[in-house]
Amino acid sequence: MSKLYIPGPINVSAETFAAMSHPMIGHRGSEFEELYASVQPSLQQLAGTSRPAYLSTSSAWGVMEAALRNLCAKKVLTLCCGAFSDKWYDVALKLGLAADKIQVGWGEAISPESVRAKLGEGGYDVVTLIHNETSTGVMNDLAAIAAVVKAFPGVIFVVDSVSSFSAVPIAMDALGIDVLLAGVQKALALPPGLTIFFCSEAALERAKSQPNRGYYFDFIEFAKNAEKNNTPSTPAISLIFGLQYILGTIAAEGVSQRYARHAANNALIHAWGARHGFANFAPVGHQSVSLTCFAKPADFDQAAFIKTLKGKHGYIINGGYGKIKGLTFRISNMGNETAATMLQLIAAMDDVLA
Ligand SMILES: *Cc1c(COP(=O)(O)O)cnc(C)c1O
């Protein structure tokens, strides 16, 4: 049996799978409505919002694309600093939207001042940001960028927190985030197939006047159905049972303890890297706390390291994503990992390096 330490999907616990094997229920009945309602308070707490959580049966890209279709009437500004954020720009072009980007090198963070300068040129009505760029291990300064976007009325701020949601506090309402989204297969340690998202009233107002929103990803349909604790179409009910279970574990642990655990586990991996001379690909001050991306030293046989770690110990880490595949490697500490399980991984990695 092998265990995933890649930055998504991540390891899913046996207890989560057990919760997901709850007998099937119909989604147009009180049992489902109670299930839907039961996950709201914890999701709202994790997002820092009083807005309802919508549950989309799709991977994160479904909602990322939908956000553009539902919200962009004029021109979108995409903030690009890695594989996922760069792709958001491509998706905007594929939708035929007017799109512009701020592009920084992979491994760099988005500068809030550059966002201010670009928005100052005018003409934009949507900005997209990936909070935690999973491909490079860069965590952008969400609060500073949000403060900039907030100074431009009429600009809808869309934030992907796929690999940061529940790993660090997020203050959607206080920061003025209009759409916040997160797939469940990253920090929430569920199997893939479900995406959680929230919309501000301003985002829904914008969506209402947008033609061609389609049906499956129409934010207005999600909002209408959420009023009745329901979803527009048949949702991934088993995943929602799994979500209910995971949120129960988060409540039992306490969110601040959860955040502290992620930071401590991440620090263990940073210390391990420092011991072996592996440099963090992300700059100090912008390093993710849910995963670590290391730059491959020139003389290091990364492929053999990853292969032996899997073959001998059953631990799977990632050998880089997109154009930095083979040049970086990534280790996740998301989800249910403890100091003990991280130390097991570290012992195995030390063994392979010895
Ligand atoms: C994994 C990931 C995505 C893409 O998620 P899918 O579930 O594959 O659609 C988007 N953004 C970030 C930051 C990610 O880590």
Side-chain angles (χ1 to χ4, degrees):
M1 269 286 279
S2 52
K3 182 175 174 186
L4 289 179
Y5 281 96
I6 63 173
I10 65 162
N11 186 58
V12 176
S13 73
E15 292 79 6
T16 305
F17 281 125
M20 287 178 61
S21 67
H22 185 287
M24 195 43 56
I25 60 172
H27 68 296
R28 300 295 186 215
S30 61
E31 217 179 330
F32 179 77
E33 288 162 14
E34 281 158 28
L35 173 64
Y36 188 99
S38 76
V39 300
Q40 295 293 321
S42 314
L43 291 175
Q44 289 170 319
Q45 180 187 17
L46 292 169
T49 188
S50 59
R51 303 291 303 159
Y54 307 139
L55 305 178
S56 169
T57 297
S58 67
S59 84
W61 273 113
V63 177
M64 292 165 77
E65 177 173 329
L68 299 176
R69 290 184 74 178
N70 277 264
L71 302 168
C72 183
K74 293 180 187 155
K75 182 156 74 158
V76 57
L77 176 64
T78 57
L79 307 180
C80 301
C81 63
F84 294 104
S85 46
D86 287 14
K87 193 166 170 181
W88 222 342
Y89 174 73
D90 295 338
V91 170
L93 296 182
K94 281 178 200 283
L95 288 170
L97 296 173
D100 212 344
K101 61 177 171 175
I102 291 175
Q103 179 78 61
V104 299
W106 286 27
E108 291 169 32
I110 300 292
S111 123
E113 281 317 309
S114 71
V115 179
R116 192 189 310 280
K118 200 79 188 156
L119 288 180
E121 292 172 10
Y124 299 100
D125 61 355
V126 178
V127 172
T128 65
L129 172 73
I130 302 232
H131 179 206
N132 196 57
E133 179 44 88
T134 317
S135 63
T136 61
V138 165
M139 188 172 276
N140 284 300
D141 189 342
L142 178 55
I145 296 169
V148 168
V149 178
K150 210 174 180 174
F152 292 87
V155 177
I156 296 286
F157 188 34
V158 183
V159 176
D160 162 325
S161 68
V162 172
S163 60
S164 58
F165 189 79
S166 85
V168 296
I170 295 175
M172 175 174 166
D173 291 354
L175 296 181
I177 296 169
D178 290 296
V179 175
L180 183 75
L181 67 102
V184 299
Q185 80 275 22
K186 305 270 168 91
L188 285 170
L190 285 161
L194 187 71
T195 294
I196 295 154
F197 71 108
F198 306 83
C199 292
S200 70
E201 283 180 39
L204 294 179
E205 272 311 307
R206 172 72 58 78
K208 270 184 204 153
S209 59
Q210 278 286 103
N212 305 322
R213 300 193 301 274
Y215 169 68
Y216 191 75
F217 289 113
D218 179 1
F219 286 2
I220 303 304
E221 287 287 341
F222 276 95
K224 271 199 299 207
N225 280 277
E227 283 171 21
K228 301 172 291 176
N229 286 311
N230 222 308
T231 53
S233 56
T234 316
I237 295 170
S238 303
L239 278 166
I240 302 174
F241 277 116
L243 176 64
Q244 182 186 48
Y245 170 77
I246 282 288
L247 294 173
T249 67
I250 292 175
E253 180 180 15
V255 286
S256 45
Q257 284 86 344
R258 180 179 176 86
Y259 301 142
R261 174 167 61 79
H262 279 76
N265 287 348
N266 187 253
L268 289 174
I269 296 296
H270 284 210
W272 169 82
R275 264 202 322 278
H276 291 284
F278 296 127
N280 207 310
F281 191 66
V284 173
H286 293 287
Q287 294 170 351
S288 166
V289 296
S290 62
L291 73 127
T292 309
C293 184
F294 289 115
K296 182 189 93 68
D299 58 350
F300 178 54
D301 190 345
Q302 170 174 308
F305 172 62
I306 293 172
K307 190 163 175 230
T308 308
L309 184 66
K310 180 182 177 193
K312 190 172 176 193
H313 297 280
Y315 292 133
I316 303 176
I317 63 170
N318 172 273
Y321 191 95
K323 69 183 183 192
I324 50 174
K325 191 178 166 114
L327 302 175
T328 53
F329 62 100
R330 299 179 301 160
I331 301 169
S332 164
N333 59 275
M334 298 178 212
N336 307 315
E337 300 308 325
T338 63
T341 62
M342 295 311 293
L343 289 170
Q344 282 164 10
L345 171 68
I346 285 170
M349 294 194 296
D350 282 340
D351 175 60
V352 174
L353 292 175

